[in-house]
Amino acid sequence: MRRNKGAPGIDGMTVDELPEYLKHHWLEIRAQLDAGTYRPQPVLRVEIPKGDGKARPLGIPTVVDRFIQQAIAQVISAHWEPHFHRHSYGFRPQRSAHQAVREVQANIRAGYGWVVDMDLQAFFDRVNHDRLMARLKSRCPDADLLRLVNRFLKAGVSVEGRVVPTHLGVPQGGPLSPVLANVVLDELDWELDRRGHRFARYADDCNILVKSNRAGKRVMASVTRYVSDTLRLTVNQLKSAVDRPMNRKFLGFTVSRNGAKLKVADKAIEKLKDRVRELTRRTRGNTIGKIVAELRETLLGWKAYFGIAEVLSPLREIDKWVRRKLRCYLWKQWGPAGYRELRKRGVTVREAWNTSKSAHGPWRLSKTPALAFALPLRFFINLGLPSLAPR
């Protein structure tokens, strides 16, 4: 919770306040858990923006409930982990999104040149509680544990101060939800395995690889029926498709047309650019050193995930674009002193004069030879600006 900068739930208690609270109240909480009388509080409903302009609802439990959820999640994982499918990669120990992406890539290279890209509509909001509890019971027969899980599922949601009961779904935002999601979708994994399909699943994101468009359409129809009739969930027809892998994205990646090399999806690049624009807004009024320090944190985090990309040209373009944004930022900051700053950095009188007296705007001027000479690559390296593409 600390690492994720977890927000308080409906009681307002922060993560930093939890240890002291537990010192004074843990014996009482433990007694309630042992006696089966512990009652989770409703989760706080917040909405976070998605890339498509819509909002994703999150349910934030109180920090005490998150603490207990984490303990429950560890118990359930211990029971279920040995039985989960090897092609399930989300929220599991020693498993990652990178492994899921590599699995898809390996299948493409093995001749499976079509993908059945399935998106489950509002998955976390539509999980059937009865089916989930029956699945849990098959490997976790502890009645007290199951009763507690059921109470968490039915704890309700606080929306603008009003508690709404929950009869379906597992609220995203607590540590228990990802484990329960895997328990629900484990059934899908083994059904796909039984049918002999090649696939990779990360949470509710699933790619099935096939050899032809015709096979893909057949698989899409039959798996959609299975999801609806057996799992009682819905495949989002607008976001799901049978297509060539290079036309689809999976966990932020796509593949190149030739050789199926990993490539960062356009949407992920645009999202990064939006963040860079936010950090380099002129109205922020920060020094270039502070701007670069903030950019460094964002770019290194982005690179830690997308650094496995094998098509490097888009990354080189982003590097150039980020430096141009910074040149634009500095040029606007220099204002009337632009001529003097250019001359100070070795730009010729003619170039400095033409640039500073130009009628063009800062973004256009940020690409001129004068700005490139005055603020070269070395300048940004010395400030600590990281590169997304290998230099």
Side-chain angles (χ1 to χ4, degrees):
M1 287 190 281
R2 276 205 178 97
R3 187 170 64 246
N4 295 332
K5 299 175 183 175
I10 62 169
D11 62 354
M13 187 188 300
T14 66
V15 175
D16 291 332
E17 291 168 341
L18 179 63
E20 188 63 28
Y21 179 85
L22 291 177
K23 279 183 191 175
H24 298 288
H25 297 277
W26 175 245
L27 291 179
E28 174 193 342
I29 295 169
R30 177 174 174 165
Q32 290 175 6
L33 290 167
D34 285 339
T37 59
Y38 183 82
R39 295 279 175 183
Q41 296 191 61
V43 298
L44 177 65
R45 168 63 54 85
V46 297
E47 293 189 337
I48 57 169
K50 290 165 64 176
D52 57 6
K54 296 180 181 177
R56 183 195 306 279
L58 283 186
I60 303 178
T62 65
V63 290
V64 173
D65 282 342
R66 262 177 279 176
F67 177 74
I68 294 168
Q69 278 194 32
Q70 179 60 39
I72 296 170
Q74 288 170 200
V75 173
I76 292 175
S77 292
H79 284 288
W80 279 85
E81 187 58 37
H83 306 282
F84 282 144
H85 198 280
R86 66 188 184 282
H87 291 156
S88 161
Y89 295 95
F91 311 110
R92 295 180 59 194
Q94 282 80 55
R95 298 272 169 154
S96 69
H98 287 173
Q99 291 172 331
V101 169
R102 292 286 193 197
E103 176 70 25
V104 169
Q105 182 188 35
N107 284 315
I108 296 167
R109 287 179 169 173
Y112 291 77
W114 289 82
V115 62
V116 180
D117 185 0
M118 301 198 76
D119 180 270
L120 297 179
Q121 190 168 336
F123 167 73
F124 283 92
D125 296 332
R126 297 191 177 189
V127 170
N128 183 282
H129 288 177
D130 292 338
R131 292 202 83 259
L132 170 56
M133 295 308 298
R135 289 282 294 165
L136 280 174
K137 191 175 180 180
S138 68
R139 297 203 186 278
C140 304
D142 186 322
D144 291 336
L145 177 69
L146 294 173
R147 192 178 300 113
L148 184 57
V149 171
N150 199 42
R151 282 180 181 164
F152 271 106
L153 291 175
K154 300 192 183 306
V157 179
S158 175
V159 183
E160 297 178 351
R162 184 171 58 92
V163 176
V164 179
T166 44
H167 304 295
L168 279 177
V170 289
Q172 287 177 270
L176 188 55
S177 301
V179 181
L180 297 181
N182 276 335
V183 170
V184 171
L185 293 175
D186 180 64
E187 209 170 345
L188 173 63
D189 297 339
W190 287 105
E191 178 63 20
L192 295 177
D193 182 273
R194 188 185 68 76
R195 297 182 184 190
H197 293 315
R198 297 193 176 209
F199 72 96
R201 182 180 64 78
Y202 190 96
D204 56 338
D205 216 343
C206 185
N207 272 194
I208 306 167
L209 286 305
V210 294
K211 287 192 171 181
S212 69
N213 185 22
R214 186 177 174 184
K217 288 179 177 175
R218 189 175 64 247
V219 169
M220 175 68 86
S222 64
V223 174
T224 297
R225 278 195 305 272
Y226 175 82
V227 167
S228 174
D229 297 346
T230 304
L231 301 184
R232 300 186 199 173
L233 296 167
T234 305
V235 172
N236 188 332
Q237 299 294 341
L238 294 176
K239 292 186 178 180
S240 303
V242 177
D243 207 340
R244 291 290 192 180
M246 66 280 297
N247 298 328
R248 306 298 293 178
K249 66 180 181 65
F250 182 55
L251 303 176
F253 290 92
T254 184
V255 293
S256 64
R257 202 168 289 277
N258 298 316
K261 293 180 180 177
L262 293 183
K263 181 181 175 184
V264 181
D266 291 344
K267 200 170 180 180
I269 290 174
E270 280 309 310
K271 196 172 177 183
L272 174 65
K273 283 186 169 184
D274 286 343
R275 177 62 179 153
V276 173
R277 288 185 187 104
E278 187 183 322
L279 291 175
T280 55
R281 278 198 328 269
R282 180 187 180 186
T283 53
R284 298 188 72 219
N286 288 326
T287 64
I288 191 67
K290 189 167 188 329
I291 295 290
V292 169
E294 291 176 346
L295 274 175
R296 179 180 174 80
E297 187 178 342
T298 293
L299 294 175
L300 288 178
W302 197 88
K303 187 177 182 178
Y305 182 74
F306 288 105
I308 65 167
E310 296 158 334
V311 178
L312 300 179
S313 51
L315 304 186
R316 294 191 187 104
E317 288 304 312
I318 300 174
D319 282 337
K320 291 178 189 173
W321 182 84
V322 169
R323 291 195 295 272
R324 187 179 172 189
K325 288 294 288 183
L326 290 172
R327 289 184 184 113
C328 181
Y329 184 86
L330 271 173
W331 181 251
K332 285 187 284 190
Q333 217 176 42
W334 289 344
Y339 173 82
R340 190 167 63 250
E341 293 290 345
L342 290 175
R343 289 290 294 131
K344 194 194 302 182
R345 288 164 172 79
V347 177
T348 64
V349 171
R350 182 187 176 86
E351 283 283 0
W353 180 261
N354 287 343
T355 304
S356 61
K357 298 302 177 185
S358 171
H360 293 305
W363 179 244
R364 175 85 173 266
L365 293 176
S366 64
K367 207 176 180 182
T368 57
L371 265 294
F373 184 88
L375 303 169
L377 173 61
R378 176 59 51 190
F379 171 80
F380 297 110
I381 292 174
N382 291 340
L383 281 174
L385 184 72
S387 173
L388 296 178
R391 288 197 174 106

